[in-house]
Every structure is written in structure tokens, then in C-alpha cells.
Amino acid sequence: MEGYGIVSRNAKGEAVRLIGVNRDITARMQAEEALRTLNTELERRVEERTAEIKAINKELEAFTYTVSHDLRAPLRAMHGMSQALIEDYADVLPPEGVEFAQRIEAAAQRMDRLIQDLLAFSRVGRKDMRPRPVSLHEAVEAVLSTLSPMFEEVGADVAIEGTLPTVIAHPSTLDQVITNLVDNACKFVEKSTAPRVRLSAETRGSRVRLWVADNGIGIEPKHQERIFRIFERLHGIETYPGTGVGLALIKKAMQHMGGDVGVESEPGKGSRFWIDLPAVSDGE
Ligand code: ADP
């Protein structure tokens, strides 16, 4: 039961009447109880499903890792044998035979690249990825120095604008993310254009956004979401080589580090990829 009462007063303020209402609230309490039970049940089922999905994901990752790893041995044999054919038997093989061996060799190399990328993809999140404060500036400088022979080869002008702050990240995973972004920025450029890449950062509340801006071919808005899925590529490998794993790895890595990734781009006007990472809060 639930009761309400109102005191009615006369002009002098004296209580003259008490009006009361009693209501049976059994039905409401039963409905509330049913809702509580339903909520608890729903939470239990969400937890159960999440655990199932996590287990399936783990299994899938273990599968990808094993398959990729085991595929490398027969691939090495293919690679070794085709090279032996090209090097040791070129004079006894007809030109067509040498060409076939070269094609086997090229295909083996492509497959090895793909397997290495898949292994790297499945490694993200497998190891302990405990994040810690990392100087974004030092991380970017180290990556740029490693990639400098490639910059020279393609005539790329790559530079940091301003200083980059400290973020919370997993160091080697962050290196891989930056490497993939800069590598793409130098790759997806018109053949006649020298790549120009600029890296800069801005703090947005509790996060730091690192921008990687290029002067490349750009990406149509309708493709800007799907390129982050594994094996999604917008060009044939003859035009731009690649496996379609790089951005998917970045997305997975950023999710594991509590961050995010995205792009702003227009065809013909270059792309501005960004990654968000937790900033270092006071006291860290
Ligand atoms: P890959 O570089 O091996 O092709 P990614 O996963 O790194 O694979 O990229 C997926 C696709 O997204 C690329 O094939 C390309 O079409 C597009 N892309 C990525 N980075 C850029 C960029 N900086 N400019 C234009 N297109 C890009």
C-alpha cells in the first residue's frame, strides 16, 4: 500500500480536514521486480556473449598465427627452388622456362609479404600490451630515421611540425602504427609527384591526436570506412603494391591501446590520417 495525505486549512491556518488516499501498489512493485530480474538476466547474457566472442576471437587469432607460421616453411622451399632454377639452370632452360621460374619467385615473395603482414596483424594484442608514457616526438623521430633510406629512394620530403607531446601507448605497437601510416603516405602518390608528408599533433581534452598529412591521391569519402578492414584495397597490386593489412592492423592496435584512427581526405587533394591516444594526465 502507498498513502498520500493533504491537510485542508481554514483562513486562520488551522487544520480542519485531512484528505487521504490509499493505493494498492502491488502491481507496480511486481512490474518493478520483473524489470529488475529482466535487467539482471540481460546483463548476464551480454557478459556470456562477450566471453563467447572473446574466446572465438582468441581461437581465430591462434589459428591465423599457426597457419601463417606453418605456411612459411613450404614457401621458403618454393622460393629457394625457383631461385636455384634461375641462378643455376638459366643457360639450359628455354627463355620461357626462366620466365616461369621468375614468376614463381615473384609470387612466393608476394605470399611471404602477405604472411608476414598477417603474422604481425595476429600478434597485435597477443602479447602483453601494457601501455606506458611514451614520447610521441621520440617515437616519430625513430620511425622516420628507420624509414629514411626509403624516403631517399622515392624522393620524399617528410618532417615533423612543432613538437609532439607524451602519450600513453605500447611503444613497439606505436612504432608499427606510425611506420604503416608514413609508409602509405609515401606510397599512394601520383607517380610524377614527390611525396610530401607532415606529422603534427594537437591535444584534444584527455587525448592527443597525431596527424599524418600527405599530398597523395586521396580517398573518396565512400571508401574511407572500408579501407580499415583487412584485405580492403582500392587499387591493383600492379599500380600500388600492398597486402591490405596495414590499416586493419592500425585499427586493431589503436583499439588495444584505448585509442582510435580515422582519415579526412578528398580524391586528388591528399589525405590526413589521424590516430588518437590517451594523453598523459597530471601526476603520470
Ligand atoms: P596496403 O597499403 O597494403 O594496400 P592498407 O591497409 O595500408 O594496405 O591500406 C588499404 C588501402 O587504403 C590501400 O590499398 C589504399 O587504397 C588506401 N590508402 C591507405 N593509405 C592511403 C593514403 N595515404 N592515401 C591514399 N590511399 C590510401
Side-chain angles (χ1 to χ4, degrees):
M1 280 292 183
E2 188 180 67
Y4 297 99
I6 303 170
V7 179
S8 172
R9 298 179 191 278
N10 61 17
K12 292 183 202 155
E14 297 158 340
V16 288
R17 208 185 305 159
L18 177 70
I19 305 163
V21 179
N22 280 328
R23 251 198 326 178
D24 183 353
I25 55 161
T26 317
R28 198 183 78 196
M29 293 198 50
Q30 278 172 346
E32 279 174 5
E33 181 55 32
L35 200 66
R36 258 196 301 276
T37 316
L38 212 68
N39 265 339
T40 317
E41 171 66 4
L42 203 67
E43 270 168 27
R44 193 188 58 75
R45 273 163 59 181
V46 169
E47 265 171 33
E48 220 173 78
R49 270 298 158 88
T50 313
E52 268 173 33
I53 292 170
K54 272 192 183 159
I56 291 170
N57 254 343
K58 253 201 149 107
E59 219 172 275
L60 236 151
E61 279 180 5
F63 173 79
T64 314
Y65 187 82
T66 313
V67 169
S68 310
H69 193 264
D70 293 356
L71 276 176
R72 291 198 81 187
L75 196 61
R76 264 197 298 273
M78 266 172 72
H79 173 73
M81 293 298 154
S82 55
Q83 267 210 323
L85 269 179
I86 296 164
E87 281 167 19
D88 305 339
Y89 293 90
D91 44 350
V92 290
L93 279 174
E96 211 183 19
V98 176
E99 197 199 314
F100 287 168
Q102 281 166 342
R103 284 209 213 164
I104 296 173
E105 164 71 2
Q109 266 179 25
R110 264 209 314 278
M111 195 162 160
D112 193 47
R113 181 77 252 154
L114 180 62
I115 289 174
Q116 278 186 40
D117 284 358
L118 273 176
L119 277 171
F121 179 80
S122 66
R123 260 186 224 119
V124 173
R126 274 170 73 88
K127 58 192 170 194
D128 184 9
M129 279 181 56
R130 211 163 304 158
R132 61 176 178 79
V134 178
S135 155
L136 198 52
H137 207 91
E138 281 171 23
V140 170
E141 272 184 338
V143 168
L144 298 192
S145 144
T146 309
L147 292 179
S148 65
M150 181 270 278
F151 299 155
E152 265 178 41
E153 198 182 312
V154 300
D157 162 20
V158 185
I160 303 175
E161 274 174 355
T163 47
L164 314 176
T166 302
V167 292
I168 304 289
H170 180 256
S172 65
T173 310
L174 179 64
D175 282 0
Q176 192 155 20
V177 166
I178 301 168
T179 303
N180 287 2
L181 286 175
V182 175
D183 200 51
N184 277 350
C186 293
K187 181 165 69 171
F188 295 101
V189 178
E190 291 292 355
K191 295 283 173 270
S192 53
T193 312
R196 185 178 189 278
V197 185
R198 290 293 176 267
L199 295 105
S200 58
E202 59 175 309
T203 303
R204 300 160 68 104
S206 59
R207 293 189 156 205
V208 168
R209 178 163 289 191
L210 173 73
W211 290 97
V212 180
D214 66 45
N215 62 340
I217 53 175
I219 305 156
E220 274 189 65
K222 66 175 179 196
H223 297 313
Q224 287 174 11
E225 219 181 294
R226 78 173 170 100
I227 52 169
F228 291 97
R229 285 186 230 134
I230 195 159
F231 301 137
E232 290 283 356
R233 309 195 70 240
L234 307 176
H235 315 274
I237 46 164
E238 320 75 42
T239 335
Y240 294 106
T243 58
V245 179
L247 287 180
L249 183 147
I250 294 177
K251 177 118 194 164
K252 190 177 172 196
M254 294 315 295
Q255 280 167 352
H256 276 281
M257 290 192 288
D260 208 353
V261 56
V263 64
E264 289 179 2
S265 182
E266 251 184 83
K269 296 200 174 158
S271 304
R272 277 160 46 87
F273 279 84
W274 55 262
I275 54 165
D276 275 354
L277 281 162
V280 175
S281 58
D282 294 340
E284 256 177 306

